[in-house]
Amino acid sequence: MRESWHERFAETPGVLKSSDRHQTIVPVLDLEIGGEDFITMAGPCSVETEFQLMATANHVRRCGARILRGGAFKPRSSPYAFQGHGLEGLKMLARARAESGLAIVTEVMSEDDVTMVAEYADILQIGTRNMENFSLLEAAARSGRPVLLKRGMMATVADLLRSAQMILDCGNPNVILCERGIRTFETATRNTFDVGAIVLLKEISHLPVVADPSHAAGHRDLVPSLARVAVAAGADGLLVEVHPNPDKAWSDGEQSLDFAGFDEMMASLDPYLALRGLAISEPAGVRPMEAVG
Ligand code: PEP
Ligand code: MN
């Protein structure tokens, strides 16, 4: 690593690569994020119904996803929009994990909810709007669960690394960085996918980096291309929104892939993964789900 990056990010030495720390591997059930396997986290934006969640879990698992995403607590622009099922949604996620063997990543929005969410989730997601909510970060860190830290939509790479450093300083080494697009003058896409940030983070930081092409694009037809770009840029995994019927989704339907779209996207990653000597790992020892969905 060039010395100048060390100087540039001198405020956050703990997240930078060093001679004795090149790559953090975050263990999640039987998975290793940041290791040899490319890890896809897929599922609906919001947990809506048992059927929606189970059908999606069943499908994405068969296509190579290893982690199920889905929000039980949703940060919405309008107070009148669906805010998530809360505890009921967490219970649905836990049932989906039991049925599918997939690990669960779900957002926690309030420090008051951290203990409850940590009981059900394998990874706590910190959303873009909360990247600098330091009391939430501290509570999430102290839960002991791995933390998926999404980049604030107005945050620089240095800001993101500062928040990651806070979590490490609270004694939790298991931080996964997530590039999900930032706000720029461009409005055609929902956000601007900062692929340069993925390359830079992989260059300077030992923390795993995943990409969320769904929130970056805002339009489902752009998601597979951005996913391939993320693989080429060196991301350790993806966070992707998938829904059985995106046009009827309660949130973020425009950017959600349907099942066929997800299959196609996953298949299209192969040559890009092969260039890095990676493959999408097959789930090992996971129970079949014939009874589900
Ligand atoms: C989400 O993952 O559904 C989400 C709300 O993401 P972000 O915080 O990046 O907007
Ligand atoms: Mn969403």
Side-chain angles (χ1 to χ4, degrees):
M1 185 168 114
R2 284 172 40 200
E3 196 52 37
S4 63
W5 291 126
H6 267 290
E7 286 157 19
R8 173 97 196 224
F9 297 104
E11 231 190 321
T12 53
V15 301
L16 301 183
K17 285 182 182 169
S18 63
S19 49
D20 60 346
R21 183 163 281 264
H22 189 74
Q23 179 65 51
T24 289
I25 292 180
V26 174
V28 178
L29 301 183
D30 62 333
L31 307 173
E32 293 188 333
I33 301 174
E36 295 296 305
D37 290 330
F38 187 82
I39 303 290
T40 301
M41 314 178 187
C45 178
S46 312
V47 174
E48 298 170 4
T49 65
E50 196 94 32
F51 171 80
Q52 170 241 23
L53 191 64
M54 294 301 176
T56 309
N58 188 18
H59 188 84
V60 300
R61 174 186 162 280
R62 273 196 268 118
C63 297
R66 302 299 306 274
I67 299 182
L68 179 66
R69 64 145 291 145
F73 294 92
K74 295 306 302 177
R76 302 304 298 279
S77 314
S78 161
Y80 304 108
F82 175 58
Q83 307 290 315
H85 286 307
L87 178 58
E88 222 16 76
L90 295 175
K91 289 182 177 167
M92 285 194 236
L93 285 165
R95 284 196 286 276
R97 173 179 44 201
E99 293 284 354
S100 68
L102 294 170
I104 300 296
V105 57
T106 194
E107 179 164 353
V108 58
M109 289 175 56
S110 155
E111 55 190 295
D112 298 336
D113 296 334
V114 165
T115 309
M116 175 173 63
V117 177
E119 232 178 86
Y120 294 90
D122 300 296
I123 305 174
L124 298 182
Q125 176 174 322
I126 301 292
T128 193
R129 294 160 189 81
N130 277 315
M131 190 204 79
E132 290 184 314
N133 180 343
F134 294 121
S135 50
L136 176 61
L137 293 185
E138 183 172 343
R142 296 201 192 284
S143 76
R145 289 285 188 209
V147 177
L148 178 87
L149 180 64
K150 297 191 93 174
R151 179 180 181 181
M153 61 184 94
M154 305 287 275
T156 64
V157 166
D159 296 333
L160 174 65
L161 292 178
R162 214 173 291 120
S163 291
Q165 177 81 56
M166 285 271 305
I167 300 170
L168 300 187
D169 289 347
C170 291
N172 188 335
N174 294 319
V175 178
I176 303 155
L177 304 172
C178 180
E179 162 59 34
R180 48 78 72 203
I182 51 174
R183 254 194 198 161
T184 67
F185 55 82
E186 179 57 76
T187 55
T189 49
R190 183 173 180 185
N191 291 285
T192 296
F193 189 41
D194 188 1
V195 69
I198 298 174
V199 178
L200 177 59
L201 289 168
K202 287 305 298 173
E203 171 81 14
I204 62 176
S205 176
H206 57 79
L207 296 172
V209 178
V210 304
D212 173 350
S214 308
H215 290 84
H219 301 273
R220 75 181 72 113
D221 40 335
L222 303 180
V223 169
S225 299
L226 296 193
R228 291 189 288 273
V229 166
V231 176
D236 296 293
L238 292 173
L239 181 71
V240 188
E241 288 185 338
V242 180
H243 193 284
N245 186 353
D247 292 334
K248 293 273 161 59
W250 298 5
S251 61
D252 284 352
E254 333 72 65
Q255 67 194 35
S256 299
L257 296 171
D258 63 12
F259 290 173
F262 182 69
D263 298 358
E264 253 175 67
M265 183 201 79
M266 291 297 275
S268 79
L269 300 181
D270 284 342
Y272 298 85
L273 288 166
L275 281 172
R276 290 173 50 192
L278 300 175
I280 291 171
S281 62
E282 288 300 317
V286 176
R287 290 195 288 124
M289 288 185 65
E290 281 78 27
V292 179

